[in-house]
Amino acid sequence: MVTVRPRRIRVVCWASAIALVVVFSLVATSLTGATGDGYGSFQRGDQFAMVGLGVFGALGFLLFTRPRVVADAKGVRVRNVIGSYELPWEVIRGVRFDRGAPWASLELHDDDLLPMVALQAADKESAVEAVRALRRLHQAHLAALAAGQPTPR
């Protein structure tokens, strides 16, 4: 069984999310007094709203920590930023990690490419090892088919 989650992007996203909440909280504390030459003035609700915007922005950053790939003898489960897929090995032609590509992808028999955002080039050697492990699982499935053995369900 192979389970892969991106490493670098998770660190960057968590740091960015924390920084965003801190910045919006600091801005919220500075929202006091009059809004300018007009009659308006900042209220406590404006400060809470500013912190809330920071929290929502941070949650948006944390969406990018969601990607994951889990593979076993039955198939591959891919969870990207938006959307999840569960594919048996029968529909997969190969695992690709093209030079210059930001992440690996699954090449399907219907000529589609399914990106695997969890396997990012930024993770360097750990991403390469994960792609190799996926390719070994795929080759084991192909060998079992060639030998006439039933595939696990």
Side-chain angles (χ1 to χ4, degrees):
M1 180 181 224
V2 176
T3 302
V4 181
R5 295 187 72 181
R7 290 194 171 117
R8 268 186 127 169
I9 193 75
R10 286 176 41 208
V11 171
V12 169
C13 285
W14 275 101
S16 299
I18 291 168
L20 190 68
V21 170
V22 168
V23 167
F24 271 72
S25 297
L26 291 173
V27 169
T29 60
S30 70
L31 291 179
T32 57
T35 60
D37 293 336
Y39 297 105
S41 64
F42 289 110
Q43 304 294 320
R44 181 74 60 199
D46 298 321
Q47 293 175 328
F48 287 131
M50 190 58 84
V51 173
L53 285 173
V55 169
F56 280 124
L59 291 175
F61 278 138
L62 293 180
L63 273 178
F64 291 95
T65 65
R66 186 176 185 269
R68 177 182 297 168
V69 173
V70 178
D72 55 20
K74 296 177 187 176
V76 182
R77 287 169 296 288
V78 177
R79 185 172 73 184
N80 288 330
V81 175
I82 299 175
S84 297
Y85 307 91
E86 189 166 342
L87 303 170
W89 286 114
E90 288 82 15
V91 301
I92 298 170
R93 183 183 298 160
V95 180
R96 294 176 57 168
F97 203 168
D98 298 331
R99 182 176 303 276
W103 44 71
S105 57
L106 293 174
E107 185 177 2
L108 307 180
H109 283 292
D110 63 358
D111 294 328
D112 276 344
L113 283 177
L114 176 66
M116 294 184 291
V117 180
L119 292 169
Q120 296 189 356
D123 289 333
K124 296 184 171 72
E125 195 59 39
S126 64
V128 172
E129 287 302 318
V131 168
R132 287 179 181 152
L134 287 173
R135 286 178 178 161
R136 282 191 298 270
L137 282 171
H138 186 239
Q139 289 300 320
H141 171 76
L142 293 176
L145 282 179
Q149 298 175 355
T151 59
R153 294 269 173 209

